[in-house]
Amino acid sequence: MSDALHAMTVAAPHAGQAIDPVCGMTVEIATAKHTHRHEGHDYYFCADRCRTRFAADPVRYLDPAAREKAAAAEAKSQAPGTKYTCPMDPEIVQIGPGTCPKCGMALEPMGVPPRDAGPNPELVDFTRRLKIGALLTIPLVAIAMAPHIGIPLHSWIGPRAAQWLELILALPVVLWCGWPFLERGVASIRDRQPNMWTLIAIGVAAAFLFSVVAVLLPGLFPAELRNGHGGTVGVYFEAAAVIIVLVLAGQVMELKARERTGDAIRALMDLAPKTARRIGADGQESDVALEAIAVGERLRVRPGEAVPVDGVVIEGQSAVDESLLTGEAMPVDKGPGASLTGGTLNRSGSLVMEARRVGAETMLAKIVGMVADAQRSRAPIQNLADRISQWFVPAVVAVAVLAFLAWLLFGPTPSLAYGIVAAVSVLIIACPCALGLATPMSIMVAVGRGARSGVLVREAAALEHLAAVDTLVVDKTGTLTAGKPTMTDVVAFPGLDEKMLLRLAASLERGSEHPIAAAIVAGAKARRITALKPEAFEAIAGQGAKGVVSGQDVALGNAAMMRGLGLDPSPHEAQLEALRTDGKSALMIAVGGRIAGLVAVADPIKPTTPAALRALQARGIRVVMASGDHAITANAVARRLGITSVHAGVSPSDKAALVASLKARGHRVAFAGDGVNDAPALAAADVGIAMGTGADVAIESAGLTLPQGDLMGLVRAHRLAQGTLRNIRQNLGFAFGYNALGIPIAAGVLYPLLGTLLSPMLAAAAMSLSSVSVIANALRLRRLDLDHD
């Protein structure tokens, strides 16, 4: 790239400064923390994210043609038809960008943000306005405050000249730096949607216009407002300018905080690599963009690399870190046939995988989408803030008018000036931005916190409802248990040893696709018993299977099958019943025309289930089991887990009816399940909790998803829900308390004691501080401990 192009692209506005080539912000070279050297030139960046984007593709940001092409592509990706929504009022949705008609905030594109999305344009714009406004406001305040700190500046240059200088400095601050706020305030009045910008616009406009008239036409004011120095009238340019600057500072801090709440999404998106190593039909390997991967293609995942897409292992052995899904740091051994999830980390050996789900169909993409949607959903408690805001702004305007009239009629000289100061201070200090931010900020931070700990929140309302849940209804299979049969017992009768019995059973079932057959084959393999190829095989529906193994007649099945073979199963009924009572499915094995033993298969309880149930019960949650399984099996599992309320043999509609009956009795009910048959109950519950290992329809019907598929995630979710609701209440309490205290002070109730009024500048500082305090309190949720009470 030529030096001329370099100079044109990144020329600094002043010596010692540089322009960030990614976002266009001004950077002080002496204090810049983020730099990158390219083709002999040093570039400076406002943030590491900008530096990283530049380093990945410098030409895009240095070549004007490439920049325009990228900008056009980005615009095309968001138009036409892209929906935008308000971060404070998620019910506001429109096609294309704009401002919220309710609160005046800039709308944001819905859905998952682009992976390489740059800084928030509104943040860049407001930061520039803040810098220029601060540069002009500092000398403006110095001129206005000079007489009060003993500097006779007004005597040196003259009172009228000082006021004209203040007007010149204040004009760009109010009419350019503060123009977005004035526009939003006018829109709120025009649309009859009073909000925080209504108060800011009225307050700033009142202070500024009063001051302009005072400078241009001082003779319009009564003598009591004019002093003996050139007949000037007191002006409040510095108040209007400082209010604009402080509000800009608060908005910049808020926008930065909102960007930080998106760190969870960006972190999740960064889990997937940008490229994958594809193995061609000729065996040649090449690195290609992730977007170019198609279903069915073979990919190599080398040690230390992230799995690019969802698929299955076809070659190799390795340990994979699946903490993305499980929250556990212990790697999981993977071999041929094992499933792989995009974004998980291959720790050791090389793997060859086949892509099964790519793009938006991968588990990681769905998780990102769920988090993005949840961050824009709203909790019912937000309705309280909305109802209050409907009358709060008109009430504040009324209080400001009453304060103005009270000072005008009963205040000391100059009463008009006192009235204006009181009215403007009331309008500014009562700005309801803290009230509006109280709930959305907590929800956004909580959703990100949950995503990092294996709790995916699909709806903000789910968090609020979960905090109040007193009853948990759980499905058995796949929720309390693993949902996959495992061989548990092998009992050999005299005449045949256990190893040979299991070899014959596994050999017979080798050709069957039944889950119990697979469990027996897997059990034999785990004991290092090699199954033989059966010489004959026949499956008998509802009974079992029979065939020939190593020249011997072998049959495996229930009592009906044994009786069909002319064998008497009754001598073994007691042993069979004991196994069933323990929650196991027991089968008999016949070899050479006699019953030679028993094999039992069970759906094992997940290792984390007992501890999770104890933790939930300790938190005051009653657990109810609802299972479509046989009563004997369901009760056996319940006994082992200490569950006293069991509903067995229930259909999907029965589960939904059970949830409805519990709700009708006044309980707040959560339902946890993983199957298609659980979807009606998940939708009927106050909170539906889907186990991430289950069916897609179950996940779509639930408000929360636990990707690791165990109930310890629910314990963490309950801690998150209660912590979030507590945080929201703290925010709302702070916002209400702040206004209850601030409005009377701004109106002048302390004047009889202190002899002074609250300055509009101090009112603006207090208003901004309240918003910052709410944001800071919400951000504490990022450090919430979800593993301990």
Side-chain angles (χ1 to χ4, degrees), residues 565-788:
L565 296 174
L567 303 176
D568 182 11
S570 56
H572 312 293
E573 277 298 329
Q575 290 174 286
L576 292 170
E577 187 62 24
L579 292 170
R580 295 191 194 106
T581 304
D582 200 26
K584 302 172 182 177
S585 297
L587 302 174
M588 289 174 277
I589 306 174
V591 179
R594 69 181 185 87
I595 298 176
L598 308 175
V599 175
V601 175
D603 184 6
I605 293 172
K606 294 178 180 178
T608 57
T609 296
L613 293 180
R614 288 193 297 270
L616 291 169
Q617 291 165 349
R619 299 180 70 81
I621 298 176
R622 173 187 173 222
V623 180
V624 177
M625 180 196 291
S627 174
D629 209 342
H630 191 277
I632 293 177
T633 304
N635 282 306
V637 173
R639 279 196 306 273
R640 294 173 60 186
L641 294 174
I643 299 174
T644 57
S645 180
V646 180
H647 296 260
V650 293
S651 65
S653 60
D654 292 336
K655 292 181 180 181
L658 172 61
V659 169
S661 67
L662 289 169
K663 291 173 63 176
R665 295 201 294 269
H667 294 288
R668 301 298 295 271
V669 183
F671 184 94
D674 74 328
V676 174
N677 64 323
D678 297 322
L682 287 165
D686 292 304
V687 185
I689 302 157
M691 314 309 279
T693 53
D696 289 343
V697 67
I699 295 174
E700 291 297 327
S701 302
L704 291 171
T705 299
L706 307 178
Q708 65 268 40
D710 73 75
L711 290 179
M712 282 307 299
L714 179 53
V715 179
R716 290 192 290 271
H718 193 250
R719 292 188 181 111
L720 176 65
Q722 291 192 327
T724 302
L725 202 60
R726 183 168 57 248
N727 191 269
I728 291 174
R729 287 170 176 160
Q730 291 168 353
N731 286 347
L732 291 174
F734 180 83
F736 289 135
Y738 160 81
N739 282 303
L741 181 65
I743 291 175
I745 293 175
V749 296
L750 295 182
Y751 183 83
L753 297 175
L754 303 178
T756 184
L757 273 175
L758 182 68
S759 164
M761 289 187 294
L762 293 178
M767 179 270 292
S768 296
L769 182 62
S770 69
S771 297
V772 172
S773 299
V774 165
I775 293 171
N777 187 54
L779 289 175
R780 290 193 309 115
L781 287 171
R782 295 191 300 177
R783 301 187 300 274
L784 183 65
D785 187 356
L786 301 184
D787 295 315
H788 305 91

Side-chain angles (χ1 to χ4, degrees), residues 401-426:
V401 172
L402 291 175
F404 173 77
L405 293 175
W407 280 99
L408 184 65
L409 297 175
F410 307 109
T413 303
S415 59
L416 179 60
Y418 280 126
I420 291 175
V421 170
V424 171
S425 295
V426 168

Side-chain angles (χ1 to χ4, degrees), residues 302-370:
R302 291 167 293 192
E305 292 183 338
V307 176
V309 296
D310 294 358
V312 295
V313 177
I314 55 179
E315 290 180 23
Q317 297 282 342
S318 183
V320 176
D321 180 351
E322 293 190 329
S323 56
L324 162 68
L325 300 176
T326 65
E328 301 294 335
M330 184 66 67
V332 179
D333 291 334
K334 298 287 184 177
S339 62
L340 292 173
T341 301
T344 55
L345 185 63
N346 182 22
R347 289 291 190 186
S348 51
S350 178
L351 296 174
V352 176
M353 65 175 292
E354 179 184 311
R356 293 289 178 86
R357 288 190 295 270
V358 301
E361 297 302 315
T362 65
M363 174 66 75
L364 181 59
K366 291 180 179 179
I367 290 174
V368 170
M370 290 166 63

